[in-house]
Amino acid sequence: MRKRIRPLFFISLCLVFSACSNIKYLPAGQNLYTGATVRINPDSTGKITDEKNVKGVLESKTRPRPNTSFLGLRIKLYIYNLAGQPKKSKGIRHWLRNKVGEPPVLQSQVKIPYNNAVLASYLISQGYLQAKVTGDTVVKNRTAKAIYTAETGDRYTINKITFPKDSVGIASIINSTSGQSLLKVGNFYDFDVFKAERERIDNDLKQNGYFYFNPDYLLLQVDSAIGKHRVNIYVKVKEITPNAALKPYTIKDITIYPNYSLRGDSSIRASKPVLYKDFIIKDPRNTFKLGVFDRLVFFQKGELYNRRDHNQSLNRMVNIGTFKVVKADFLTDSAKSNQLDVNFYLTPLKKNSLSFQVIGTSKSNNFVGSEVKLTQTTRNVFRGAEKLEISASGGFEKQIRGSDQTQGNSYSITGQAKLIFPRFLLPFFKFNSTNAFIPKTNILASYQILDRVDYTLNAIKAEFGYDWKESIYKEHVFNPISINYVRSKVVDSATLFAKNPSLRTSLENQFIVGLNYNFTYNDQVNQNKRNNIYFSGDLETSGSLVGLFAPKNDKGQKSLFGTALSQFLRLEGDLRNYYKVNKTVIWANRLNVGFGYAYGNNKALPFVRQFFAGGSSDIRAFGSRLVGPGTYIIPDSLTFRDQGGDIKIMLNTELRFKLVSMLYGAAFIDAGNIWLRKEDPLRPGGKFKANKFIEQMAIGTGAGLRVDASFFVIRLDVAFPIRRPDLPNGPAWVMKDIAFGSSTWRKQNLTYNLGIGYPF
């Protein structure tokens, strides 16, 4: 009982000490502000819709915000006070006080009347047109808390919406799209919806040529005098709207300056223009082929201006990755004209550039978890906005078990050349995409060395394929031609293959010739969403078509140049979810599943296409590629210990939270395993069985620290197993064996994972 009481006593003592220390340093006569509480209709029985959420929004709008806290401790304020007043504007004390610490928020900084007005204004905007808010402060032990009382009254609903009656001009367009209105009879009065409705109408008008119109020219009059807590809304165009905004415009001249600079402005403007279709090109240096602009500019001479063409043109010019500055000017000859001249000013990026990247990877068949990459980029190679990228990269994956035993290390060196065309190169067919994203054709060649303790793999790859974005969230990569030549060098291969013949077909030299496709959905670009989703799906085939014509070698295998041709189908899906608990806490989850089917020449997937479990970005409590298959126990005598499989199921859940400045913490649980599609006598218990796979999952847990500097992340995770599938008596929970105080247990169970980037 005493052992349980002591930790609680210690924690309580820390809380009291921290609170007392923070108050001790307050200026004389001042109180520490600890935050605001909002009470909604406390003196009546009336409940409002979604009261909990409204209360949270109101409290978030109060100012100032109190000092940040973690588990009740105002750590940043404590550090600020602990650092004291440094004598110099540099050094550790200055850094702690001004960069890590946080000054106290005082009661004197709270402006009650201002907050009353802000909260009442928000309630009125949500339809509580009779809302009133009063605030006061409560002081206790030199801490002050603000309490705001909101009397909302009834929430108003929309009774009727009236649009302009005219049948010509702007009024006719507003009327014709009224069926798409965001204002609905019976809905609550909501000022945010009113603003969105004005923007909707403005967008419809822009699509019909009304270039100079803007939402401020629209008036939504609200009549709340009809009674029964209802309102009538009248949509009108303001009488002060200028004439230029009341008429549609057509496109006249389209002039493009593809090599524009302020320094050479006068000479470029004076240069001889080149007429190409509907465009006037002013490019005295002949920097680009004229056909490039067919894919960049969506306007056509003589058509009505519309916002879609405007946005898509600008987006394409930005997304093509060739220009550092993109600007569009729209001009009219006179106030009476209804025509627009369009000028596009494009300033190219430097032809050559050098970049350095730090990358974290987490593919299930990848041997390397992190890498650094140096890339030389040459732009506009053939004057068609092409891009040539030549890169060299080196990576590592490192795990340390116990105090001195290093395991699972792998290293890689890769050289790669990639030529990117900003269009689809398709024989006998011209494909014109109409969205804002540039489709790309990629030609790639690479050479990679993967090195581990037991083996070295050399891989030569050549690919031809396409990359296009369906939308800001969806991307497709399709390589109809993918050729890989894999050459392996295994330590003591004769002994290894004698003990395990099935490894010979997966590790011997081979060609992987086929196609691959990847679909990615990622809405993380929308930072305003509380719940973000990432999905990546992969399909790869090898040997299907080529195998019909490939000759057989002396071993009876389909082959190319005497080397065996791999024949398989491989599928993989990776689903991730990122839920923002609050501004500093994210709950991340991942489900990764894979299935491989080998046929023809192959009894198993090639080693470089197998699924593995365990590692720094996988099931972190277990050695890299040392989990499974199934309940198979790896003998201590086996020198080649990496275990691959045909099927993989993995789940990860991780709570990520900010500690201080760039330092973040994490607590996680990983679960998963790999299995074989068919029984292997040399690996008993490895076959996948639908009624057994859940109980065969390896499970580990742990915690980690991350230094997140936005442009790179360094990660250290410490993990240990809580369920093992490879025990002599079968899978079992091992939580009862946890003994952090035992050096033997720590050496056998704690696994340290060092990596770059987040695990997923």
Side-chain angles (χ1 to χ4, degrees), residues 333-503:
D333 292 339
S334 66
K336 295 181 180 180
S337 172
N338 66 342
Q339 291 184 316
L340 290 172
D341 289 332
V342 187
N343 296 324
F344 289 104
Y345 300 99
L346 311 175
T347 304
L349 290 160
K350 290 182 179 180
K351 188 173 182 67
N352 294 286
S353 65
L354 195 66
S355 64
F356 178 78
Q357 292 176 288
V358 181
I359 306 169
T361 60
S362 57
K363 286 279 188 178
S364 65
N365 67 327
N366 210 326
F367 290 83
V368 176
S370 309
E371 68 177 14
V372 293
K373 186 176 185 180
L374 188 66
T375 304
Q376 158 68 34
T377 302
T378 302
R379 298 177 180 84
N380 203 30
V381 181
F382 307 118
R383 296 177 44 244
E386 303 87 359
K387 187 161 55 175
L388 175 64
E389 297 177 345
I390 299 175
S391 63
S393 60
F396 74 95
E397 182 182 80
K398 187 176 185 64
Q399 285 189 304
I400 301 174
R401 171 69 58 82
S403 59
D404 58 1
Q405 183 183 354
T406 302
Q407 65 171 48
N409 298 330
S410 61
Y411 305 91
S412 79
I413 298 174
T414 305
Q416 178 176 288
K418 185 176 184 180
L419 182 59
I420 304 168
F421 296 86
R423 58 191 179 277
F424 281 137
L425 296 181
L426 292 168
F428 315 113
F429 182 72
K430 186 176 180 180
F431 182 86
N432 290 318
S433 63
T434 57
N435 67 14
F437 301 98
I438 297 284
K440 298 173 184 177
T441 299
N442 304 314
I443 301 175
L444 178 146
S446 70
Y447 180 77
Q448 184 178 40
I449 301 173
L450 297 166
D451 182 73
R452 279 178 58 80
V453 176
D454 301 318
Y455 58 87
T456 301
L457 295 176
N458 294 265
I460 301 173
K461 180 167 71 172
E463 280 186 340
F464 175 89
Y466 309 101
D467 177 355
W468 72 99
K469 295 195 74 169
E470 181 182 340
S471 68
I472 193 173
Y473 302 136
K474 301 175 183 178
E475 183 171 6
H476 305 262
V477 178
F478 175 54
N479 294 305
I481 301 175
S482 178
I483 303 171
N484 290 256
Y485 174 69
V486 182
R487 185 180 182 87
S488 62
K489 182 180 179 181
V490 183
V491 177
D492 196 12
S493 59
T495 304
L496 172 66
F497 295 152
K499 290 183 178 180
N500 195 342
S502 64
L503 276 175

Side-chain angles (χ1 to χ4, degrees), residues 373-655:
K373 186 176 185 180
L374 188 66
T375 304
Q376 158 68 34
T377 302
T378 302
R379 298 177 180 84
N380 203 30
V381 181
F382 307 118
R383 296 177 44 244
E386 303 87 359
K387 187 161 55 175
L388 175 64
E389 297 177 345
I390 299 175
S391 63
S393 60
F396 74 95
E397 182 182 80
K398 187 176 185 64
Q399 285 189 304
I400 301 174
R401 171 69 58 82
S403 59
D404 58 1
Q405 183 183 354
T406 302
Q407 65 171 48
N409 298 330
S410 61
Y411 305 91
S412 79
I413 298 174
T414 305
Q416 178 176 288
K418 185 176 184 180
L419 182 59
I420 304 168
F421 296 86
R423 58 191 179 277
F424 281 137
L425 296 181
L426 292 168
F428 315 113
F429 182 72
K430 186 176 180 180
F431 182 86
N432 290 318
S433 63
T434 57
N435 67 14
F437 301 98
I438 297 284
K440 298 173 184 177
T441 299
N442 304 314
I443 301 175
L444 178 146
S446 70
Y447 180 77
Q448 184 178 40
I449 301 173
L450 297 166
D451 182 73
R452 279 178 58 80
V453 176
D454 301 318
Y455 58 87
T456 301
L457 295 176
N458 294 265
I460 301 173
K461 180 167 71 172
E463 280 186 340
F464 175 89
Y466 309 101
D467 177 355
W468 72 99
K469 295 195 74 169
E470 181 182 340
S471 68
I472 193 173
Y473 302 136
K474 301 175 183 178
E475 183 171 6
H476 305 262
V477 178
F478 175 54
N479 294 305
I481 301 175
S482 178
I483 303 171
N484 290 256
Y485 174 69
V486 182
R487 185 180 182 87
S488 62
K489 182 180 179 181
V490 183
V491 177
D492 196 12
S493 59
T495 304
L496 172 66
F497 295 152
K499 290 183 178 180
N500 195 342
S502 64
L503 276 175
R504 180 183 295 275
T505 57
S506 64
L507 279 170
E508 66 183 359
N509 300 341
Q510 55 201 284
F511 271 106
I512 300 173
V513 181
L515 60 83
N516 58 72
Y517 168 75
N518 169 265
F519 168 74
T520 301
Y521 175 88
N522 186 2
D523 67 6
Q524 289 178 279
V525 292
N526 189 348
Q527 295 293 326
N528 295 323
K529 286 190 68 175
R530 189 167 190 177
N531 201 47
N532 291 114
I533 293 174
Y534 169 92
F535 172 76
S536 177
D538 290 281
L539 164 67
E540 182 178 12
T541 67
S542 175
S544 300
L545 182 61
V546 178
L548 297 175
F549 309 99
K552 293 185 178 181
N553 60 16
D554 54 4
K555 298 178 182 178
Q557 298 173 314
K558 295 288 182 70
S559 63
L560 292 176
F561 309 107
T563 300
L565 176 67
S566 291
Q567 295 180 290
F568 65 86
L569 169 70
R570 187 180 189 276
L571 299 165
E572 183 177 7
D574 191 346
L575 176 64
R576 307 175 189 181
N577 177 263
Y578 303 91
Y579 178 75
K580 299 180 181 72
V581 180
N582 56 44
K583 290 183 178 180
T584 61
V585 179
I586 294 177
W587 185 23
N589 296 276
R590 173 172 63 174
L591 169 63
N592 178 231
V593 295
F595 174 80
Y597 178 81
Y599 62 93
N601 287 347
N602 297 73
K603 295 181 180 179
L605 292 174
F607 191 69
V608 292
R609 294 297 189 268
Q610 290 182 353
F611 297 101
F612 301 93
S616 65
S617 297
D618 199 278
I619 310 171
R620 285 161 278 186
F622 295 83
S624 181
R625 294 172 285 284
L626 298 183
V627 177
T631 59
Y632 171 65
I633 302 173
I634 305 173
D636 293 336
S637 60
L638 194 64
T639 55
F640 188 93
R641 301 178 64 80
D642 286 16
Q643 298 299 317
D646 307 308
I647 299 169
K648 180 174 183 178
I649 300 176
M650 181 180 66
L651 301 102
N652 308 84
T653 184
E654 181 171 284
L655 193 67

